[in-house]
Amino acid sequence: MPKRVDHDERRRQISEALWRIAATRGLDGASLRDVAAEAGISLGRLQHYFTSKDEMFVFALDYISGLAERRIRERVQALPGTPAPRDILRHCLVEMLPLDDESRAGNLVQVAYYARAVHDARTRRHAQEGVPALRDFFAAQVRHAVERGEVDPERVPEDEAMLLLALADGLTSFALLDVYAPAEALRLIDRHLAGLFSYNSSPRSSGSKRS
Amino acid sequence: MPKRVDHDERRRQISEALWRIAATRGLDGASLRDVAAEAGISLGRLQHYFTSKDEMFVFALDYISGLAERRIRERVQALPGTPAPRDILRHCLVEMLPLDDESRAGNLVQVAYYARAVHDARTRRHAQEGVPALRDFFAAQVRHAVERGEVDPERVPEDEAMLLLALADGLTSFALLDVYAPAEALRLIDRHLAGLFSYNSSPRSSGSKRS
DNA sequence: GCTATAGCAATACGCTTGACTTGCAAATCG
DNA sequence: CGATTTGCAAGTCAAGCGTATTGCTATAGC
C-alpha cells in the first residue's frame, strides 16, 4: 500500500476550518471551495475525505458537540473536593456562555447549526438529543441542593433545570448580538442563581417530599 | 399617468411570501425566484418593487418587527381596567412565545433574521435596537410591582427584565426545536413569574433602598 | 524493480443564483 | 386621440455552486 494518513485527523482539520467559516458567515456561507481554502487544501482533497457536503456538516457537528460536552465534563470534574451543587451548576453555565473569544466562536457555530436545525429534520434530531441529558444533570444538582436545604423544596428540580438552560441560551443570544457585554450575562446568571439558592433553612423535617 | 398600484401594499405581499419561505427554509433558502413564485408573481415584477435582494430583506424585517410590536402593544392596551404589572408582563411574554402556528411561523422568521444578524452588521443593528425599549418597559413593570409590594425590593428591575427577556428567548429556542411542547414553555414562564412575584408583604417601611 | 493503489490535484459539467436589459401592454392626461 | 409613462414579463449574463471524472505521483508490498 502507498502512503497512509490519519483520515479522522484530516477530517477534524477540515471541520475546524468549517467552524471558522460558519462562525463568521454561517453554514450557508460555507461553500466546499471556501472550506478547502480555509483549511489550506484543494477542493479535491476535501472531497476525498467527505463524499458530500452534508456528510461534512454532520461530522463537524458531531465533532464540536463532542468537544463541548467533554469540556464541560472536564471542568466539573476538575472541581476540588466534593463541590456544592451550586458550584457545579455555575461552572457548567460559565462554560456555556460566550465569555471569551474561543467560546464565542463555538457559540456562533452552534447558532449556525441551530438555524439549520430549525428547518432540517436531521440536524434538528441531533440538536435535540443533548438537551434531556443536560436537563437531567442540572435537575439532579438542584435536587441535591434541595436535600441540602439550599433550595426551597417547593421548587421542581426539572423545571428549575430547564429554566437555567433556557436562561443561558437566551443570554447567549443577546451576548452574541452585542446587546450587552458577555460579562453582563454572567452577572445575570449569578443573580438568578442567587434567587434560586436563597432558601434560608437548616435541613428541616420536610424531607418527605417525593412524587 | 397609467395604471397606479399601491407600491407598499405590493411590497407587503412580497414580504409575506418571503416570511413563508424564510420560516420553512431560512433566509438563505429564499431565492428571488422562489419568493416570486410563492407570491404568485413573476421575477420581473418582484424586481420592479425591490431593486436588490437585500432591500427586500430589510423591508420585510421592518415590516414584521413593526407588526410584532403593534400586536404586543394592542394586546397590553386591550387589558381591562388598570391591569396589574404581573398581568402586563405575562401578556407580553405570551405574545412572544410560539404558542400557536402563526406565532411559531413568526418566531421562525425571527430566527432566520437572527442567524443573519449574527454575521451581518446591518441586520444586527436592526436586531439590537428593539431590545432596550422592551427591557425598559419590562423594568418599569417590575419597578411598579416593587412599589406595590408584590416583588422583593432587593430585586433590580432592569436585571429582572433582562432575565425575563432571555428566558422567553431561550424557551422559544427549545420550543422551536421541538424539545418540548410550546405549552411547556408557558408553564415554565409562569413558574418563573411565580418566583419573581413571591414577595409576601404589605408595602412596609423598607422603601429607602436606593443605590 | 515492478505493480497495485492511496492520496490528491485539476478540470469539467449541469444548475442555480442575483442582477441587468429589453420591450411591450395598458392606462392616464393633455 | 395620441403621447407618455407606469407596470411588468421574458430573456440574458457571468459568477458560483455541489458533484463527478480523470489521471498523475509517490509509496508499500511482493
Side-chain angles (χ1 to χ4, degrees):
Chain A
M1 290 181 210
K3 180 175 53 170
R4 301 300 305 263
V5 298
D6 186 337
H7 277 221
D8 255 24
E9 171 58 23
R10 286 269 208 263
R11 277 195 268 259
R12 269 178 258 131
Q13 287 172 0
I14 294 170
S15 295
E16 287 159 23
L18 171 61
W19 298 346
R20 266 171 265 141
I21 294 184
T24 55
R25 280 183 276 163
L27 277 186
D28 291 292
S31 75
L32 292 182
R33 280 162 245 261
D34 288 342
V35 176
E38 173 68 32
I41 63 176
S42 73
L43 172 60
R45 183 137 136 196
L46 190 153
Q47 293 190 286
H48 185 68
Y49 292 105
F50 291 113
T51 305
S52 74
K53 193 179 188 179
D54 208 63
E55 186 190 332
M56 179 180 71
F57 280 171
V58 169
F59 183 93
L61 177 53
D62 274 330
Y63 182 23
I64 201 173
S65 45
L67 267 191
E69 186 187 334
R70 198 164 61 88
R71 276 193 9 184
I72 292 186
R73 198 179 299 277
E74 282 176 1
R75 178 162 190 140
V76 168
Q77 289 178 347
L79 287 176
T82 40
R86 179 172 182 168
D87 290 331
I88 294 178
L89 286 172
R90 206 187 104 102
H91 273 80
C92 288
L93 293 164
V94 164
E95 193 62 42
M96 293 166 71
L97 294 175
L99 297 175
D100 55 41
D101 284 351
E102 187 193 335
S103 174
R104 181 184 175 96
N107 272 285
L108 285 172
V109 174
Q110 277 187 245
V111 166
Y113 274 104
Y114 171 69
R116 162 169 272 243
V118 158
H119 315 301
D120 177 59
R122 186 147 168 30
T123 312
R124 179 163 62 249
R125 238 169 290 130
H126 198 132
Q128 291 166 345
E129 69 187 22
V131 176
L134 199 50
R135 187 205 52 185
D136 290 346
F137 176 73
F138 274 32
Q141 300 307 317
V142 174
R143 196 172 296 110
H144 192 192
V146 169
E147 289 162 2
R148 290 161 53 121
E150 298 168 356
V151 164
D152 186 345
E154 293 286 325
R155 308 261 191 169
V156 179
E158 280 75 15
D159 288 354
E160 299 302 327
M162 276 313 297
L163 287 174
L164 279 171
L165 285 179
L167 204 51
D169 196 88
L171 290 173
T172 297
S173 297
F174 290 135
L176 293 181
L177 279 183
D178 295 331
V179 172
Y180 47 59
E184 188 71 0
L186 182 56
R187 197 180 63 76
L188 289 167
I189 280 278
D190 277 331
R191 198 161 276 280
H192 180 81
L193 280 178
L196 178 57
F197 283 84
S198 66
Y199 189 56
N200 305 327
S201 95
S202 45
R204 280 178 303 171
S205 59
S206 62
S208 64
K209 206 80 178 190
R210 279 284 176 86
S211 64
Chain B
M1 290 183 213
K3 177 177 57 169
R4 301 300 304 264
V5 296
D6 186 336
H7 277 222
D8 254 24
E9 171 58 22
R10 286 270 208 261
R11 279 195 266 260
R12 268 177 259 131
Q13 287 172 359
I14 294 170
S15 295
E16 286 159 23
L18 171 62
W19 299 345
R20 268 170 264 140
I21 294 184
T24 55
R25 280 182 276 164
L27 278 185
D28 292 293
S31 74
L32 293 181
R33 278 162 247 261
D34 288 342
V35 176
E38 174 68 33
I41 64 176
S42 72
L43 172 59
R45 182 138 135 197
L46 189 152
Q47 294 191 298
H48 183 70
Y49 290 105
F50 291 113
T51 305
S52 73
K53 193 180 186 179
D54 208 64
E55 186 190 333
M56 179 180 71
F57 281 171
V58 169
F59 182 93
L61 177 53
D62 275 329
Y63 182 23
I64 201 173
S65 46
L67 267 191
E69 186 186 336
R70 198 164 61 88
R71 274 193 10 185
I72 291 186
R73 198 179 301 275
E74 282 176 0
R75 178 162 190 141
V76 168
Q77 288 178 348
L79 287 175
T82 39
R86 178 173 182 164
D87 289 333
I88 294 177
L89 286 173
R90 205 187 104 100
H91 273 80
C92 289
L93 293 163
V94 164
E95 193 61 43
M96 294 166 70
L97 293 176
L99 296 175
D100 55 42
D101 284 351
E102 186 193 337
S103 175
R104 180 185 176 95
N107 273 285
L108 284 172
V109 174
Q110 277 186 246
V111 166
Y113 274 103
Y114 170 70
R116 161 169 273 244
V118 157
H119 315 300
D120 178 60
R122 187 147 168 28
T123 312
R124 180 163 59 250
R125 236 170 291 130
H126 197 133
Q128 290 166 347
E129 70 188 20
V131 177
L134 200 50
R135 187 205 52 183
D136 290 346
F137 176 72
F138 273 33
Q141 300 307 317
V142 174
R143 195 173 297 110
H144 192 193
V146 168
E147 289 162 2
R148 291 162 53 121
E150 297 168 356
V151 163
D152 186 345
E154 293 285 328
R155 307 261 192 172
V156 180
E158 281 76 14
D159 289 354
E160 298 302 329
M162 276 312 298
L163 286 174
L164 279 170
L165 284 179
L167 205 51
D169 196 88
L171 289 172
T172 297
S173 297
F174 289 135
L176 292 180
L177 280 183
D178 295 330
V179 172
Y180 47 59
E184 187 72 358
L186 182 56
R187 198 179 61 77
L188 288 168
I189 280 279
D190 277 331
R191 198 159 276 277
H192 179 82
L193 280 178
L196 178 58
F197 284 84
S198 65
Y199 189 58
N200 305 325
S201 95
S202 47
R204 279 179 303 170
S205 60
S206 63
S208 64
K209 205 81 176 189
R210 277 288 173 86
S211 64

